[in-house]
Amino acid sequence: MPGTAGPGVPERRDRRAHNLFEAAAAHVAARAEDDQDRMEETAGWVSPEAMSFGVSELACRAVLTLARERGQSPGTVARDLLGLPVA
């Protein structure tokens, strides 16, 4: 029956399978936009371990891209993004 997931089973709005990179990208974007509902939704797309790996991979790629654009080391960029003093 449409609209029901069965007793004790939470209903998902989007039933297609998501890979961990889609989940991580959507989750980080939702967090950046302070969209709590979307963050909660995307958190259920993959296991917590897969989400952690995906977010970590996204962070690494973002830092490397910014480092290339700025002509700085990844360490310098990472510290700057987190508001840490220069090492």
Side-chain angles (χ1 to χ4, degrees):
M1 172 183 282
T4 62
V9 178
E11 184 176 343
R12 286 182 51 183
R13 285 188 266 166
D14 185 356
R15 294 210 179 266
R16 75 176 185 84
H18 297 277
N19 73 41
L20 66 99
F21 296 117
E22 286 178 316
H27 190 75
V28 169
R31 183 156 184 202
E33 296 166 354
D34 198 26
D35 184 343
Q36 188 65 38
D37 291 337
R38 185 75 170 152
M39 285 172 44
E40 290 173 10
E41 177 187 350
T42 59
W45 288 358
V46 295
S47 72
E49 295 82 9
M51 181 66 80
S52 178
F53 176 80
V55 169
S56 179
E57 185 66 21
L58 177 59
C60 288
R61 292 179 188 196
V63 166
L64 286 171
T65 298
L66 285 171
R68 285 186 202 113
E69 289 176 359
R70 295 179 180 184
Q72 298 175 330
S73 73
T76 298
V77 170
R79 294 184 68 80
D80 182 52
L81 289 171
L82 293 172
L84 299 173
V86 176

